[in-house]
Amino acid sequence: MKRKLTAAIGIAGMMISIAACGGDKDSGGSDKNGAEAKELTVWLTVDAQNNWPDLVKAADAAVQKKHPGLKITHEYYGWPDKNAKLDAVLATDKAPDVVEMGNTEMLGYMVKGAFAPLDASKFDNSSAWLDGLKASVTYEDKTYGVPYYAGGRVGNWRKDLFASVGVKTAPTTYAELTAALDKVQKKEGDKFNAWYQPTRDWYAAMSFVYDAGGSIAVESGGEWKANLSSPESVKGLNEFKNVVDKYMHGDKTKDESDRYIVYGQGKSGMIFGAAWEGATAEAPENDKTGKLKGNLENFVMPGPSGKNLPVFLGGSDLAVPVKSDAQDLAAEWINAFTGPSGQKGLMAKGNLPNNKTDLATLKGDPKTAVPATAAESNWFVPMAPGWGQVEKAQILQTMLQSIGTGKKTVEEAAKEADAAIDKVINTK
């Protein structure tokens, strides 16, 4: 599922209220963090309600066994309206005790003091959390959440189409990939997308940047500075431009939101996107060719560097609002839900786990080897106080569209983006 950052930034008045009231519950003794609370309220998205309610019940049972009589209430929300409801309740004294967040949503709330700091050592496998997920719950060297599960990005190609030009095995090097794409592009003509790569897809573009040794921004002395115009970042952006120029012959002002639909129309040879997109494209309602079922295959994306292309890890985290009256119990519930048994259950449902130890076990299963291997090399957004404003302003998308349409050179667009980022990235 694609997660977009909801504008937690911009509700400063509400968040200031949170910060001001954060210590009101600290009355001393064993009740300071709600260790003896009798009720626990857990907010999750409908993903848990629809797909793994048994894991929720198991976590409840584990905590209630230790705390007889504890009442646990669950509320479930859809992604589009979750944060609006959360923002409203955080401005009151009715905050939930556990809340699920998309990992790109965490930063704005951490910056504004909405979540309580947690002791990472109290959570199973915290020392092995996936790097990208660990970054999403860490701000100013403190931990404010626990990774729940992950979703990675992979290549997906049409086996029948590539077989028609003599390529019968998925590419393992970037040279193999581009050679195969060149053959398909030549055979199908210049109106066909050998690789359908939406220009505004900054998740893909930044994978090329990080593969080249670049980055979106760098931190020094507590200050962040944009880094897209560095030689390494420009090298990655130039390679992304090469992909768009050579293989993407569709609308170069589009983003990736409907990529699986376009892919299902049969005018593309491959995509690089979320692991679920290929399967969704070949679903009967999306496959307009009638030929995609069984012909689409995920593969680990090779990068120009010679290593696997680093991927952005999407996913969910669990946090404890600072206004919770049951912070200790909330942490217990989170650990019961995201611990070894919970991760095993989540993996059985097709998710990637939150830690490297469990991820390694998936590499031996052909059904999960590709996304598990791809997720080993990952990156995450700069954990800078003003990152939410960078996303909200769509600075990266604007830069990439200027590059893809030829409106600006890579160097010009990168410098312009750096200037725009530098104006807001350190702003709380």
Side-chain angles (χ1 to χ4, degrees):
M1 178 183 296
K2 179 173 169 55
R3 312 272 168 78
K4 290 187 179 291
L5 177 67
T6 301
I9 308 296
I11 50 173
M14 183 272 286
M15 289 302 191
I16 289 171
S17 170
I18 289 171
C21 298
D24 292 351
K25 310 296 182 183
D26 293 353
S27 57
S30 61
D31 288 335
K32 183 172 77 168
N33 290 316
E36 304 303 322
K38 300 300 181 183
E39 295 186 9
L40 193 69
T41 301
V42 178
W43 281 21
L44 299 172
T45 68
V46 292
D47 298 338
Q49 182 181 33
N50 296 334
N51 300 317
W52 44 87
D54 52 323
L55 304 183
V56 177
K57 291 179 181 178
D60 289 352
V63 176
Q64 289 170 327
K65 184 176 181 179
K66 292 177 61 179
H67 303 276
L70 176 66
K71 179 183 178 182
I72 302 178
T73 301
H74 296 280
E75 296 185 26
Y76 295 93
Y77 296 92
W79 285 103
D81 59 354
K82 173 183 66 68
N83 283 18
K85 295 180 183 297
L86 178 61
D87 294 344
V89 78
L90 287 181
T92 73
D93 292 322
K94 305 290 186 181
D97 303 299
V98 177
V99 61
E100 177 180 351
M101 305 293 296
N103 61 352
T104 60
E105 297 170 342
M106 284 289 295
L107 181 56
Y109 289 84
M110 293 190 293
V111 169
K112 297 300 181 182
F115 298 143
L118 302 173
D119 182 352
S121 68
K122 293 184 177 180
F123 297 92
D124 294 319
N125 283 321
S126 60
S127 62
W129 283 344
L130 297 178
D131 295 339
L133 297 187
K134 181 179 180 180
S136 75
V137 299
T138 306
Y139 181 66
E140 294 185 339
D141 297 324
K142 292 184 179 180
T143 301
Y144 290 94
V146 175
Y148 172 10
Y149 66 92
R153 282 164 169 74
V154 297
N156 183 283
W157 72 337
R158 282 186 57 178
K159 293 187 294 182
D160 58 337
L161 186 63
F162 281 85
S164 72
V165 295
V167 181
K168 297 182 179 180
T169 58
T172 59
T173 69
Y174 197 67
E176 290 177 356
L177 174 63
T178 55
L181 288 167
D182 290 342
K183 291 178 181 179
V184 168
Q185 193 66 69
K186 182 177 180 179
K187 176 179 182 290
E188 298 295 329
D190 58 11
K191 292 185 178 181
F192 187 82
N193 304 298
W195 175 348
Y196 180 72
Q197 179 51 65
T199 307
R200 291 173 64 88
D201 177 10
W202 65 275
Y203 298 106
M206 293 305 105
S207 287
F208 281 92
V209 167
Y210 282 92
D211 181 70
S215 60
I216 300 171
V218 292
E219 182 184 17
S220 178
E223 291 289 309
W224 287 86
K225 184 170 180 58
N227 193 48
L228 292 168
S229 58
S230 70
E232 296 84 0
S233 295
V234 166
K235 180 180 179 181
L237 289 170
N238 270 314
E239 188 54 48
F240 181 75
K241 175 178 167 56
N242 288 340
V243 168
V244 172
D245 287 349
K246 290 182 68 176
Y247 308 123
M248 169 63 177
H249 301 289
D251 183 351
K252 294 187 178 180
T253 66
K254 286 180 65 65
D255 65 17
E256 71 281 8
S257 59
D258 65 347
R259 173 170 44 214
Y260 67 94
I261 294 175
V262 176
Y263 195 31
Q265 294 170 352
K267 296 181 181 179
S268 310
M270 69 158 278
I271 58 172
F272 171 51
W276 55 264
E277 290 187 53
T280 307
E282 70 176 24
E285 65 270 23
N286 295 319
D287 179 8
K288 304 306 180 183
T289 70
K291 301 176 181 178
L292 299 185
K293 187 68 175 178
N295 272 320
L296 298 186
E297 179 183 36
N298 284 339
F299 61 93
V300 179
M301 275 292 292
S305 69
K307 301 178 180 179
N308 292 340
L309 195 69
V311 300
F312 175 83
L313 283 184
S316 281
D317 299 323
L318 297 172
V320 179
V322 73
K323 282 190 172 184
S324 165
D325 287 320
Q327 292 179 19
D328 285 351
L329 281 175
E332 283 189 42
W333 190 91
I334 291 173
N335 193 44
F337 190 49
T338 62
S341 61
Q343 292 301 306
K344 183 177 180 180
L346 288 166
M347 289 189 291
K349 298 291 185 178
N351 300 290
L352 293 178
N354 66 3
N355 67 89
K356 300 171 185 175
T357 304
D358 287 326
L359 186 70
T361 68
L362 297 181
K363 293 175 64 178
D365 185 341
K367 295 179 180 179
T368 55
V370 168
T373 301
E376 287 184 313
S377 178
N378 56 78
W379 61 272
F380 199 65
V381 299
M383 296 302 285
W387 176 253
Q389 296 183 55
V390 176
E391 281 209 43
K392 187 177 180 181
Q394 298 193 359
I395 294 171
L396 298 182
Q397 293 94 322
T398 299
M399 173 190 71
L400 294 171
Q401 183 170 322
S402 294
I403 291 171
T405 58
K407 184 178 179 180
K408 291 182 173 67
T409 67
V410 167
E411 290 79 7
E412 290 170 343
K415 287 181 181 178
E416 186 175 282
D418 275 355
I421 290 172
D422 283 339
K423 288 180 180 179
V424 297
I425 197 167
N426 292 297
T427 304
K428 291 187 177 181

